[in-house]
Amino acid sequence: MKLLLMSHGNMAIETLRSAEMILGPISGAAAIGLQPNQGPEDLQAAAEKIIADNLNQEPVVVIVDLLGGTPSNVVVRLIAAHPDLQVVSGLNLPMVINYANQMMMGDGFDKSVMMNEAKAGVIDVNAKLNE
């Protein structure tokens, strides 16, 4: 399985770097970000290169930062050519760590488990402290 993170700016790149700082290298993971001097076609070309560089034809999970933004719109176009892409929006660090943990455990990938972990990572710390 491969992982592709996509975002506006460097969010995806830095989220992957942070996850790898915690866990070590994440096999098959890549990250790209749309820079201010780029257009959707630049991001699409970079994503297509990563998806095509998949010698074993492994499934690809794509996590984008924001539904409806340029990275997610690019991925929607890519789904036409690659219908097996598994796409999720709402990129965050717990999501990437959960993906990596699922891969390390070797039990297969469950997108709903990853999404639940990402949602569970949003906590009102003040309320938690007041409990």
Side-chain angles (χ1 to χ4, degrees), residues 4-17 30-40 42-44 46-47 50 62-75 87-92 96:
L4 172 57
L5 308 180
M6 296 175 62
S7 69
H8 296 85
N10 293 326
M11 179 187 180
I13 296 160
E14 295 301 329
T15 300
L16 180 57
R17 286 183 61 191
I32 54 176
L34 179 67
Q35 301 305 315
N37 63 337
Q38 294 179 316
D42 299 307
L43 190 64
Q44 184 164 341
I50 292 167
V62 181
I63 306 175
V64 298
D65 58 352
L66 179 69
L67 183 63
T70 300
S72 70
N73 293 339
V74 165
V75 172
V87 182
V88 178
S89 71
L91 172 63
N92 65 41
V96 178

Side-chain angles (χ1 to χ4, degrees), residues 19-112:
E20 290 184 329
M21 183 178 81
I22 294 166
L23 299 171
I26 299 172
S27 179
I32 54 176
L34 179 67
Q35 301 305 315
N37 63 337
Q38 294 179 316
E41 62 283 348
D42 299 307
L43 190 64
Q44 184 164 341
E48 285 176 340
K49 183 177 183 324
I50 292 167
I51 292 167
D53 186 23
N54 189 1
L55 301 177
N56 297 327
Q57 298 301 306
E58 298 176 79
V60 179
V61 176
V62 181
I63 306 175
V64 298
D65 58 352
L66 179 69
L67 183 63
T70 300
S72 70
N73 293 339
V74 165
V75 172
V76 168
R77 286 194 298 272
L78 289 173
I79 289 173
H82 307 280
D84 294 335
L85 289 178
Q86 296 295 310
V87 182
V88 178
S89 71
L91 172 63
N92 65 41
L93 188 55
M95 181 183 283
V96 178
I97 289 172
N98 180 270
Y99 168 88
N101 283 336
Q102 286 189 48
M103 294 300 99
M104 285 189 273
M105 298 301 287
D107 295 331
F109 174 71
D110 187 328
K111 184 166 58 172
S112 64

